[in-house]
Amino acid sequence: QLQLQESGPGLVQPSETLSLTCTVSGGSISDTTYYWDWIRRPPGKGLEWIGSIYYSGNTHYSPSLKSRVTISVDTSKNQFSLKLNSLTASDTAVYYCARTRSFYERALDYWGQGTLVTVSS
Amino acid sequence: DIQMTQSPSSLSASVGDRVTITCRASQGISNYLAWYQQKPGRVPKLLIYAASTLQSGVPSRFSGSGSGTDFTLTISSLQPEDVASYYCQKYNSAPHTFGQGTRLEIK
């Protein structure tokens, strides 16, 4: 059974950079079938798509975050990562990693449990 | 970028009611649309993909329809465990934008 697990700091200072990692188990991140996504949900708000990466390193980003976000993949560790810089309080959210159903069918069928990130001094 | 607009933003219905949530895309997206359910404190769950295909394990009271710009999620007979927020997401091309969500409550 595929599992995804987010890890990273729960509290980050404003203006700093958030680094989160998603570890994939029960499957290979190098599987050519899938894309791997990051999504967040700020408190009291809805889901926001952050971006997506393929095992080859090909990425797509939300235009609203593109200037501040980098998603990378480490196939040797079966992980992919999110970096978001210049943090403000509005970046406080539960951050999720997820897998697409397939290369062409990009609905998200497996999700991590999510990790709460609070941006505060 | 294509915008996704859900309606209503909140909904209260009785057990056994037929419930309909709509999602409209600002441009055509063919059938590249998914529906998710998120219960309080839980992880989002995929209900429907390709606009009308039921994800494995999802109860048959959930159904999806539509193509192009207008889409619908229907719950044929509302159950107490269906209390949740529901989101549509388009994925024809990046960005894979979510709708703003619909909060469903039991009357």
Side-chain angles (χ1 to χ4, degrees), chain A residues 41 63 96 101 105 108 111, chain B residues 1 36 38 43 49 87 91:
Chain A
R41 184 175 183 182
Y96 299 97
R101 290 194 75 256
E105 186 54 63
L108 302 167
W111 293 65
Chain B
D1 293 334
Y36 301 89
Q38 187 172 28
V43 175
Y49 64 93
Y87 298 90
Y91 53 88

Side-chain angles (χ1 to χ4, degrees), chain B residues 2-4 23-33 50-51 65-72 90-92:
Chain B
I2 297 173
Q3 304 303 311
M4 305 301 294
C23 181
R24 175 164 289 176
S26 59
Q27 298 175 39
I29 59 171
S30 184
N31 68 335
Y32 292 99
L33 185 102
S65 64
S67 183
T69 60
D70 294 310
F71 302 87
T72 300
K90 70 97 166 169
Y91 53 88
N92 60 313

Side-chain angles (χ1 to χ4, degrees), chain B residues 71-89:
Chain B
F71 302 87
T72 300
L73 173 69
T74 300
I75 307 173
S76 60
S77 178
L78 185 65
Q79 300 302 303
E81 61 266 31
D82 299 336
V83 169
S85 292
Y86 292 84
Y87 298 90
C88 62
Q89 183 197 26

Side-chain angles (χ1 to χ4, degrees), chain B residues 3 12 16 20 31 34 41 47 51-52 55 66 85 93 97-98:
Chain B
Q3 304 303 311
S12 182
T20 299
N31 68 335
L47 298 176
S52 61
Q55 173 72 350
S85 292
S93 63
T97 308
F98 288 92

